[in-house]
Amino acid sequence: MRPLTRAAAFAVGAVAGCLADARFADPRRGHPVAVFGSAATRLERRIWRDDRATGAAYTALCVGTVAAGAVVLDRTVGRRPLGRAALAAAATWTVLGGTSLTREARTIGRSLAAGDLQAARERLPHLCGRDPSALDEQQIARAVVESVAENTADAVVNALAWGALAGTPGLLAFRAVNTLDAMVGHRSPRYARFGWASARLDDVAGWPGARLTALLTVAAAPEPRTAWRVWRRDGSSHPSPNAGQAESAFAGAVGVRLGGTLHYGERVEHRPVLGAELRPVAVDDIERACTLSRRVGALAVGTTVAGHVLLRAILSRRGKA
């Protein structure tokens, strides 16, 4: 029996990692992403300055270290098919967050369904950065659906897309980029300049996966035509070049209206409405969004595996030409 090719070994490992995420989700303690975040926080405290150059150096050092380490591992552990598959499985499980995402969303949905608004408010910060103190039931449900849409792109599809393009190093490097954006890429007096590079790098890295998320959402939607129409019309109206792609497609797929006024502590954002002709979000739509997210994730796994194998085959043929 022939040994697995490098591409096939990665594909087997990626599927195994996805199954591990579905079964075990994220560990409560000692998650590699949390370890990276802690190290990045310590570095930030040492070198922080209110300028873009320092922030760019910080971003390059954090992401470069992860990418370089992943390349070294890939060239050592990944020399044999079994080692390559095991490395891909570990990396895929590390970067994915789809199961934890839907679990958190469903926990909030159950609280809302039980009429426990306070419990839902207390749980919402585990899912997104909005101020829940003044949100009513409908506003919390909308926040959850929007977060499920955006994080389906960031925590599932984008990571897998970079795995298709660059294997294990692509998986881990993207997760480092996305984690830094969550840490320092938001708009605040401290990070307006220092976090600029992290935010812009995340925009670039997230571009392909955001569009792929929208396409897969259309494919998985109960009403693909509505999902397609809302995505193509409203996807680019969002202030983020990427978040609006997934959110608008989800709005059309679930059949709800998203966007509008958002509260992040003392900061208020007035975003364009996505799917303005559709109905407001209801509590039951949280489960619909979670089911859609899982379907999109399953499609993303298949797309990643097929894309990586095809890309490696093309590169191999060119190398022999």
Side-chain angles (χ1 to χ4, degrees):
M1 189 169 103
R2 288 185 177 183
L4 291 174
T5 64
R6 289 177 62 86
F10 173 82
V12 169
V15 172
C18 292
L19 293 175
D21 175 68
R23 175 64 179 85
F24 303 109
D26 296 331
R28 296 185 181 274
R29 296 181 181 179
H31 194 292
V33 174
V35 173
F36 168 79
S38 297
T41 297
R42 290 194 295 270
L43 178 62
E44 180 204 333
R45 289 171 181 167
R46 291 189 176 187
I47 72 170
W48 181 90
R49 289 184 182 178
D50 190 20
D51 65 72
R52 289 185 175 183
T54 304
Y58 167 80
T59 301
L61 182 59
C62 291
V63 176
T65 299
V66 171
V71 169
V72 170
L73 281 173
D74 196 48
R75 292 182 177 178
T76 53
V77 179
R79 287 180 178 177
R80 296 178 179 273
L82 182 59
R84 186 173 180 81
L87 183 62
T92 303
W93 171 78
T94 295
V95 304
L96 292 186
T99 300
S100 295
L101 169 66
T102 53
R103 283 183 181 178
E104 287 290 345
R106 283 168 169 152
T107 297
I108 298 171
R110 286 193 294 270
S111 295
L112 291 175
D116 194 343
L117 182 60
Q118 185 57 36
R121 285 174 174 167
E122 291 174 357
R123 198 70 189 179
L124 187 62
H126 291 261
L127 195 63
C128 64
R130 299 180 197 179
D131 180 6
S133 59
L135 299 183
D136 60 22
E137 177 183 281
Q138 192 277 328
Q139 290 169 327
I140 291 178
R142 192 192 88 193
V144 172
V145 172
E146 289 172 351
S147 296
V148 168
E150 182 176 359
N151 285 294
T152 297
D154 285 343
V156 182
V157 182
N158 254 315
L160 291 172
W162 279 100
L165 293 171
T168 297
L171 288 168
L172 296 176
F174 174 78
R175 178 52 59 214
V177 170
N178 190 244
T179 302
L180 284 184
D181 177 62
M183 293 172 60
V184 304
H186 48 86
R187 297 175 183 176
S188 69
R190 179 177 177 84
Y191 296 127
R193 296 188 207 28
F194 183 83
W196 177 85
S198 292
R200 298 292 78 74
L201 182 59
D202 185 68
D203 287 343
V204 173
W207 197 95
R211 276 87 191 151
L212 178 59
T213 301
L215 285 171
L216 296 180
T217 300
V218 171
E223 295 290 341
R225 290 184 180 180
T226 304
W228 174 267
R229 184 184 74 249
V230 176
W231 168 44
R232 298 306 299 156
R233 186 191 66 202
D234 298 340
S236 298
S237 64
H238 195 282
S240 165
N242 297 325
Q245 305 296 315
E247 289 187 23
S248 60
F250 261 69
V254 179
V256 295
R257 182 167 64 244
L258 301 179
T261 302
L262 309 177
H263 296 268
Y264 295 91
E266 297 180 356
R267 180 167 58 89
V268 178
E269 289 188 13
H270 300 284
R271 295 182 179 176
V273 174
L274 310 175
E277 73 278 18
L278 303 175
R279 61 178 174 80
V281 179
V283 174
D284 290 345
D285 293 316
I286 293 176
E287 179 58 34
R288 295 187 181 94
C290 289
T291 299
L292 178 63
S293 176
R294 302 304 285 170
R295 290 174 180 170
V296 171
L299 290 175
V301 175
T303 302
T304 296
V305 169
H308 184 76
V309 171
L310 178 61
L311 181 60
R312 294 293 302 184
I314 293 172
L315 293 176
S316 178
R317 288 181 181 179
R318 287 185 177 180
K320 294 178 181 179

